[in-house]
C-alpha cells in the first residue's frame, strides 16, 4: 500500500531528524562564553559559528524569553491557540499567507552551514527555557520547543508580512504613505569629516513594543567580530558594524505588495477571457477560550494566479470585490545568509557582493568603510511591471488579465544607488531614493516610473539635509550632536508668520500666544516652552492627530508648495492665515484648560516611562520635521509617552581603533525581573549615548556577569 505523506507529517519528520541529529553529535555548539556588560549587552565569544548561534539564542531568551516565545508561537499561526482571541486576527494573516509552511521549505533551501547555525540558535532558545523554568512564564512555555523553522517563519512574517505587506493595508487596499515606521541614516565621507575618517549613523524609529523591538549584541567567532542590533528573535544582526565597515537600513518606498481585483464567476474567476478555478485549501484555526478549551474555526483559503485571496468584504472600500495579493521576494530564502555576510563585510566590495543577491525584499541600505567609501542603495525586490507608475500600482489593479501579472523582479544593476558622491555625504529618512544627496545624483526619469515615487521631501528629510549641508567638516562629537538635535523644521518655516497673525489679532489671548511662541527656540528639549502649544496647533491645523502623518511639504495648507527646483526652502507661507490662527487659539484654549498655562515645558507633558522609571522626554514628531523622532501616543492623565520613535542610535567613526557610541532607548531586556528593561532611559532623557565596548578587554572591564558553556 502506498503511504501518502501530508505537509504536516513531512514537517514533523524534518524537525524530528533535526532534533535527532543534535542528540547524536558531539556538543560542538557549546564552545562559547557570554560576557554580559553592565547594560545587559551580551558580548559572545565562540570557537565556531555554530556555538555562536547557540549562545545567541540562549542570550536572547535570557533577556527576552517570554516575548520571543510568544513571537515564535505567532509565526506558527498558533497565537490564538496558545494565548486567546486577541491573537486570532494575526493568526489568520499568517495562515492565509502560508508563512510557516513556506518557512519549512526555506529551511530545506538553506546552505548546510546556515542550517546548522539556525538549528543551534533554536537549541539555545530551548536550552535556556528548559534550564531556567522559573524565568519563563507558564503561558510562554506553551510555544516550546522552538525549531529553526519557527525562527525562519518569524523572520519571514516580520520582513514580508509586517513591513512589506502588512495586514493593516487590506483595510484600505492602498500602500500606506506617511512618516510612521521609519528611520534615519547618514554616511559621511572623508572630505566632509574632520578626521578624514568615514562616519556612519544608524537610527531606526519603530514602536516600542512587541515584534518591533531590537536586541543589542556583539558576536565574535573565528573571522567574525560584529556589533549591532537584531530584530527581536532574529538569529543574526540586521544592522551592524565591525572594525572596518558597517551599514544601517531604513524602511523605503518599495511597493512589493500588489492587490488584484478578481471577477468571480461560477467555477472560479475570469482570466484572459476564460474561467480559471481557484486553488483552495482548508486550515483549522484554534482559539483558546477563557476556560482553557479550544474553539475551532475552519478557514478556506483560495488562491488565484496572483496569490491568496485576502479580502472579500461586502461594504466599502471593496463593495463585494474579491481581492488577491501578490508579494515580491517569497522565493528568496537566503535572507539570513545575506545579513550574515553583510555584517561581516570588511569593505564596499564585500558588502556589494552580499547585497547584490537581493534576498532582503526592501529597506534602503547605508554603508561606510575605513577605506573612505560611503554608499547608499535602494535595496528592493521591485517587480518588473508591464505598465503603470508608482501611484497606479499603489492601489488595486485589474486581476482578470495576464497583462497586469508580473512574474520577475529587477536585477541589482537596475536599482538606484549612490557611491562616494561629490557632496561627501549621504542620507535617508524613508523618502524616495532620489534625495540620497543634494544636488541629486540619480534622475528619477532614468528609472521605471513604478520604481519609486517622484522626488519629494518630508520636513524630516529637509531637516536632515539642511544639517548636513550647513556643516563644513564634521567630527564624531558634532555628528552625535546633530543626530540628537530636536529642532523642528516646520516651526522654523511657519512660526514667524503664525506669530505675526497672532500679534495682528491684538486680543489678550492672541498676544499671550504670540509671546510664548516668540520665546520658544523651536526645539523639543525637556525644558522647551512653546513646543507643546505648537504641537497642539499643528494637529488642529491639519485636521486631527490621525491626519498628522499625511502632513507633507506638498500640502495645500502652504501657499507655496514644495518645489523640486528649491527642495530645501519650500514649501513657504500659510495658505489661510485666518484659519491657522483659529486653530492656534483653539489649541491655546485647550492647553491652558488642561495644564493651567501655555508655556508648559515639553518634558513635563511628554515623558519617558517604563516600569517605575518616569523621566522628562525630548524629541518630537517626524512629520513636523524633528530629526530626533518621537511619536506621542494617546494621553494618559494628561501625559504623553513614546508610541514609536528613536529606538536605537549608533554613531560610528571608522578610525583605527574604531570609535563608536550607542543607545538602545528602552534597554536591552524585556523580562519582568531584569534591571535592563529601563536602565537606559536616564541617558535618553539627558540626550546622552554610551561608549561601545568593542574589544574583549573593554567588555571585561565592564563585566557584570559571565556565562560559560561547556
Amino acid at each position: 500500500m502506498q503511504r501518502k505523506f501530508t505537509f504536516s507529517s513531512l514537517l514533523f519528520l524534518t524537525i524530528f531528524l533535526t532534533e535527532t541529529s543534535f542528540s547524536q553529535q558531539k556538543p560542538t555548539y557549546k564552545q562559547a562564553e557570554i560576557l554580559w556588560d553592565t547594560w545587559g549587552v551580551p558580548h559572545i565569544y565562540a570557537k565556531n559559528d555554530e556555538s555562536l548561534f547557540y549562545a545567541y539564542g540562549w542570550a536572547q531568551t535570557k533577556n527576552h524569553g517570554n516575548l520571543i516565545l510568544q513571537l515564535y508561537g505567532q509565526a506558527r499561526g498558533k497565537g490564538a491557540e496558545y494565548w486567546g482571541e486577541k491573537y486570532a486576527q494575526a493568526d489568520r494573516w499568517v495562515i492565509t499567507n502560508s508563512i510557516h509552511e513556506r518557512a519549512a521549505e526555506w529551511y530545506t533551501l538553506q546552505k548546510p552551514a546556515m542550517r546548522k547555525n539556525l538549528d543551534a540558535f533554536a537549541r539555545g532558545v530551548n536550552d535556556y527555557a528548559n534550564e531556567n523554568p522559573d524565568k519563563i512564564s507558564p503561558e510562554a512555555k506553551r510555544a516550546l520547543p522552538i525549531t529553526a523553522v519557527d525562527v525562519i517563519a518569524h523572520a519571514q512574517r516580520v520582513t514580508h508580512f509586517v513591513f512589506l505587506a502588512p495586514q493593516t493595508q487590506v483595510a484600505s487596499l492602498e500602500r500606506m504613505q506617511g512618516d510612521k515606521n521609519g528611520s534615519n541614516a547618514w554616511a559621511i565621507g572623508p572630505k566632509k569629516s574632520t578626521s578624514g575618517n568615514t562616519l556612519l549613523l544608524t537610527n531606526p524609529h519603530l514602536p516600542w513594543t512587541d515584534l518591533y523591538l531590537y536586541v543589542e549584541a556583539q558576536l565574535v567567532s573565528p573571522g567574525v567580530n560584529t556589533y549591532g542590533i537584531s530584530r527581536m528573535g532574529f538569529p543574526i544582526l540586521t544592522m551592524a558594524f565591525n572594525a572596518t565597515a558597517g551599514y544601517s537600513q531604513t524602511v523605503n518606498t518599495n511597493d512589493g505588495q500588489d492587490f488584484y481585483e478578481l471577477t468571480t464567476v461560477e467555477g472560479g474567476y475570469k482570466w484572459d477571457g476564460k474561467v480559471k478555478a481557484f486553488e483552495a485549501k482548508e486550515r483549522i484555526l484554534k482559539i483558546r477560550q477563557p476556560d482553557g478549551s479550544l474553539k475551532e474555526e475552519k478557514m478556506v483559503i483560495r488562491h488565484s494566479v496572483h496569490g491568496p485571496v485576502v479580502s472579500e468584504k461586502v461594504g466599502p472600500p471593496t463593495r463585494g470585490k474579491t481581492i488577491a495579493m501578490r508579494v515580491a521576494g517569497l522565493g528568496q530564502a537566503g535572507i539570513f545568509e545575506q545579513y550574515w555576510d553583510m555584517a561581516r563585510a570588511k569593505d564596499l566590495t564585500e558588502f556589494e557582493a552580499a547585497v547584490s543577491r537581493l534576498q532582503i525584499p526592501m529597506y534602503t541600505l547605508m554603508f561606510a568603510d575605513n577605506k573612505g567609501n560611503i554608499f547608499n542603495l535602494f535595496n528592493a525586490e521591485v517587480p518588473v511591471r508591464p505598465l503603470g507608475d508608482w501611484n497606479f500600482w499603489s492601489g488595486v489593479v485589474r486581476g482578470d488579465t495576464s497583462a497586469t501579472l508580473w512574474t520577475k523582479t529587477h536585477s541589482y544593476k537596475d536599482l538606484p544607488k549612490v557611491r562616494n558622491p561629490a557632496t561627501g555625504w549621504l542620507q535617508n529618512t524613508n523618502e524616495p531614493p532620489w534625495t540620497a544627496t543634494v544636488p541629486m545624483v540619480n534622475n528619477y526619469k532614468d528609472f521605471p516610473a513604478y520604481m519609486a515615487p517622484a522626488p519629494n521631501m518630508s520636513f524630516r528629510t529637509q531637516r536632515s539635509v539642511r544639517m548636513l549641508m550647513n556643516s563644513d567638516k564634521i567630527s564624531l562629537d558634532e555628528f552625535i550632536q546633530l543626530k540628537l538635535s530636536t529642532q523642528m523644521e516646520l516651526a522654523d518655516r511657519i512660526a514667524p508668520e503664525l506669530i505675526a497673525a497672532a500679534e495682528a489679532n491684538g486680543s489678550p489671548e492672541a498676544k499671550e500666544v504670540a509671546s510664548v511662541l516668540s520665546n520658544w527656540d523651536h526645539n523639543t528639549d525637556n525644558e522647551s516652552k512653546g513646543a507643546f502649544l505648537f504641537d497642539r496647533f499643528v494637529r488642529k491645523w491639519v485636521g486631527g492627530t490621525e491626519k498628522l502623518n499625511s502632513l507633507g511639504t506638498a500640502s495645500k495648507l502652504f501657499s507655496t508648495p514644495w518645489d523640486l527646483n528649491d527642495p530645501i526652502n519650500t514649501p513657504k507661507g500659510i495658505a489661510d492665515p485666518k484659519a491657522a490662527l483659529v486653530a492656534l487659539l483653539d489649541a491655546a484654549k485647550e492647553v491652558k484648560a488642561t495644564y493651567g498655562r501655555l508655556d508648559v515645558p515639553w518634558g513635563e507633558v511628554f515623558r519617558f516611562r517604563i516600569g517605575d522609571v518616569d523621566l522628562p522626554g525630548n524629541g518630537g514628531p517626524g512629520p513636523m520635521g524633528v530629526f530626533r523622532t518621537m511619536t506621542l501616543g494617546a494621553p494618559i492623565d494628561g501625559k504623553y509617552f513614546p508610541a514609536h520613535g528613536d529606538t536605537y542610535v549608533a554613531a560610528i567613526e571608522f578610525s583605527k581603533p574604531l570609535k563608536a557610541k550607542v543607545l538602545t532607548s528602552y534597554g536591552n531586556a524585556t523580562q519582568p525581573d531584569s534591571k535592563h528593561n529601563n536602565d537606559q532611559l536616564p541617558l535618553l532623557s539627558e540626550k546622552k549615548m554610551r561608549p561601545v565596548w568593542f574589544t574583549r578587554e573593554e567588555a571585561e572591564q565592564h563585566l557584570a556577569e559571565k556565562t560559560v558553556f561547556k
Side-chain angles (χ1 to χ4, degrees):
M1 174 176 132
Q2 186 176 10
R3 178 163 299 185
K4 182 179 179 181
F5 285 92
T6 64
F7 178 84
S8 298
S9 62
L10 288 173
L11 177 58
F12 174 80
L13 181 61
T14 299
I15 296 170
F16 173 76
L17 291 175
T18 299
E19 294 292 325
T20 302
S21 67
F22 263 126
S23 64
Q24 293 177 348
Q25 66 179 247
K26 292 182 179 179
T28 56
Y29 53 88
K30 287 192 174 184
Q31 298 178 31
E33 58 183 342
I34 307 174
L35 307 181
W36 298 92
D37 71 25
T38 52
W39 295 106
V41 176
H43 303 257
I44 303 174
Y45 290 82
K47 293 185 177 179
N48 54 64
D49 290 348
E50 205 175 346
S51 298
L52 183 67
F53 277 73
Y54 173 86
Y56 194 33
W58 199 95
Q60 281 203 36
T61 313
K62 173 178 167 61
N63 277 11
H64 304 280
N66 292 343
L67 177 55
I68 65 170
L69 290 177
Q70 184 187 93
L71 295 176
Y72 293 146
Q74 291 179 62
R76 290 176 185 156
K78 292 190 175 184
E81 178 179 340
Y82 299 149
W83 304 297
E85 178 70 40
K86 66 180 288 188
Y87 297 96
Q89 192 64 15
D91 285 350
R92 294 185 187 101
W93 192 241
V94 169
I95 295 168
T96 296
N97 288 289
S98 306
I99 292 175
H100 203 262
E101 297 171 46
R102 189 179 298 105
E105 298 170 4
W106 282 15
Y107 176 79
T108 65
L109 296 173
Q110 302 301 307
K111 292 180 181 178
M114 181 54 68
R115 192 158 53 240
K116 289 174 65 176
N117 291 340
L118 296 177
D119 288 335
F121 182 88
R123 175 58 65 91
V125 173
N126 293 330
D127 280 3
Y128 179 86
N130 293 331
E131 294 163 8
N132 301 274
D134 58 322
K135 299 293 186 180
I136 305 296
S137 74
E139 292 77 17
K141 289 177 183 175
R142 293 170 187 160
L144 291 169
I146 297 302
T147 70
V149 173
D150 297 321
V151 178
I152 295 171
H154 168 59
Q156 184 188 123
R157 177 193 177 215
V158 171
T159 305
H160 293 79
F161 295 100
V162 171
F163 281 88
L164 185 64
Q167 186 176 15
T168 49
Q169 285 183 193
V170 176
S172 64
L173 297 178
E174 291 183 353
R175 180 165 179 80
M176 282 189 248
Q177 299 184 53
D179 193 3
K180 195 173 183 183
N181 291 341
S183 309
N184 297 326
W186 284 344
I188 303 297
K191 66 178 293 184
K192 190 81 171 177
S193 166
T194 302
S195 63
N197 300 316
T198 53
L199 304 173
L200 178 69
L201 172 69
T202 299
N203 179 211
H205 307 148
L206 291 175
W208 284 24
T209 57
D210 198 44
L211 52 75
Y212 297 99
L213 298 179
Y214 286 104
V215 181
E216 184 182 343
Q218 182 177 16
L219 307 180
V220 185
S221 65
V224 180
N225 185 355
T226 183
Y227 193 108
I229 51 174
S230 299
R231 290 204 187 281
M232 181 67 63
F234 280 37
I236 36 71
L237 300 179
T238 51
M239 295 186 223
F241 58 90
N242 54 55
T244 63
Y247 76 95
S248 59
Q249 66 182 26
T250 60
V251 173
N252 63 13
T253 58
N254 179 35
D255 182 4
Q257 171 202 54
D258 286 323
F259 292 118
Y260 289 86
E261 179 186 341
L262 306 180
T263 302
T264 56
V265 294
E266 185 175 351
Y269 59 99
K270 290 184 179 181
W271 180 251
D272 284 343
K274 299 179 181 180
V275 175
K276 190 171 182 64
F278 286 102
E279 294 182 10
K281 60 183 180 182
E282 292 186 2
R283 294 289 183 266
I284 300 298
L285 171 64
K286 297 181 179 180
I287 304 174
R288 181 177 289 268
Q289 303 301 295
D291 63 1
S293 64
L294 296 177
K295 180 181 74 174
E296 294 190 349
E297 173 186 309
K298 185 172 78 171
M299 295 178 60
V300 179
I301 303 158
R302 297 190 297 167
H303 281 249
S304 70
V305 295
H306 315 88
V309 172
V310 295
S311 180
E312 297 182 83
K313 293 181 179 179
V314 175
T318 58
R319 294 183 176 84
K321 296 175 183 177
T322 299
I323 306 295
M325 183 178 73
R326 191 166 186 80
V327 178
L330 297 181
Q332 307 292 77
I335 185 171
F336 291 143
E337 190 82 36
Q338 181 172 317
Y339 269 130
W340 181 232
D341 289 344
M342 287 161 60
R344 298 184 297 167
K346 295 180 175 61
D347 56 28
L348 181 55
T349 300
E350 291 186 7
F351 185 75
E352 282 205 81
V355 298
S356 61
R357 301 174 206 158
L358 297 182
Q359 299 295 299
I360 303 169
M362 64 179 295
Y363 305 123
T364 290
L365 300 176
M366 192 75 72
F367 174 87
D369 67 22
N370 70 352
K371 294 181 179 179
N373 294 304
I374 59 174
F375 176 64
N376 177 272
L377 169 68
F378 181 76
N379 170 75
E381 286 280 349
V382 181
V384 177
R385 296 179 167 116
L387 67 143
D389 59 11
W390 197 87
N391 289 329
F392 175 86
W393 288 96
S394 294
V396 179
V397 300
R398 286 181 59 185
D400 62 352
T401 170
S402 55
T404 59
L405 181 67
W406 51 264
T407 57
K408 59 182 181 178
T409 56
H410 280 274
S411 66
Y412 179 72
K413 68 179 178 61
D414 296 340
L415 302 177
K417 53 184 78 71
V418 183
R419 298 180 185 88
N420 300 323
T423 60
W425 58 266
L426 291 164
Q427 71 85 37
N428 186 263
T429 50
N430 312 115
E431 76 283 1
W434 323 121
T435 53
T437 197
V438 179
M440 301 176 198
V441 171
N442 289 314
N443 187 336
Y444 72 102
K445 295 180 180 179
D446 294 335
F447 296 83
Y450 54 72
M451 179 75 71
N456 63 77
M457 296 180 77
S458 68
F459 286 109
R460 177 162 57 96
T461 302
Q462 291 187 340
R463 186 71 206 145
S464 173
V465 170
R466 191 182 304 282
M467 287 192 291
L468 294 174
M469 290 183 74
N470 289 349
S471 301
D472 184 17
K473 297 277 189 174
I474 303 174
S475 68
L476 179 60
D477 288 341
E478 291 166 337
F479 193 62
I480 293 171
Q481 186 178 8
L482 290 174
K483 158 54 212 147
L484 297 178
S485 168
T486 68
Q487 191 163 348
M488 186 181 288
E489 184 75 17
L490 179 61
D492 289 349
R493 198 69 54 84
I494 67 170
E497 189 173 352
L498 200 60
I499 292 168
E503 290 175 339
N505 176 272
S507 69
E509 295 82 6
K511 287 182 178 180
E512 184 181 8
V513 166
S515 175
V516 171
L517 292 183
S518 296
N519 290 323
W520 173 44
D521 61 2
H522 300 176
N523 287 307
T524 50
D525 288 328
N526 299 10
E527 296 300 323
S528 294
K529 297 179 180 180
F532 187 67
L533 172 60
F534 188 83
D535 174 276
R536 295 299 103 180
F537 150 71
V538 172
R539 294 169 195 271
K540 288 185 176 294
W541 186 47
V542 302
T545 295
E546 67 283 354
K547 293 186 178 181
L548 181 59
N549 284 320
S550 65
L551 173 65
T553 52
S555 172
K556 293 181 179 179
L557 291 168
F558 303 104
S559 55
T560 301
W562 185 75
D563 184 351
L564 179 60
N565 296 313
D566 189 9
I568 308 302
N569 301 308
T570 54
K572 299 177 182 177
I574 298 173
D576 188 343
K578 290 183 179 179
L581 182 60
V582 169
L584 177 60
L585 294 177
D586 193 20
K589 182 178 179 181
E590 287 190 9
V591 170
K592 200 161 193 177
T594 305
Y595 302 98
R597 53 179 173 151
L598 294 184
D599 61 346
V600 56
W602 180 256
E604 185 176 312
V605 178
F606 179 52
R607 310 292 294 178
F608 293 149
R609 179 196 291 175
I610 297 176
D612 58 356
V613 176
D614 185 349
L615 298 167
N618 55 73
M624 298 185 199
V626 182
F627 194 72
R628 183 178 176 84
T629 299
M630 290 290 181
T631 301
L632 280 61
I636 301 174
D637 297 329
K639 307 292 184 182
Y640 294 81
F641 306 92
H644 148 280
D646 261 21
T647 51
Y648 169 81
V649 181
I652 307 117
E653 179 177 352
F654 290 103
S655 53
K656 296 180 182 179
L658 180 85
K659 298 176 185 176
K661 288 191 174 182
V662 296
L663 191 73
T664 300
S665 298
Y666 33 63
N668 208 37
T670 54
Q671 288 299 89
D673 61 345
S674 175
K675 67 180 181 180
H676 300 301
N677 58 19
N678 57 17
D679 58 341
Q680 296 184 52
L681 281 184
L683 295 178
L684 187 71
S685 180
E686 296 167 12
K687 294 174 65 174
K688 295 180 179 178
M689 295 173 65
R690 311 168 2 241
V692 168
W693 297 320
F694 191 73
T695 67
R696 182 174 181 120
E697 180 183 10
E698 290 171 331
E700 289 178 335
Q701 288 173 351
H702 301 91
L703 187 66
E705 181 183 355
K706 181 185 288 189
T707 301
V708 180
F709 301 99
K710 298 181 179 179

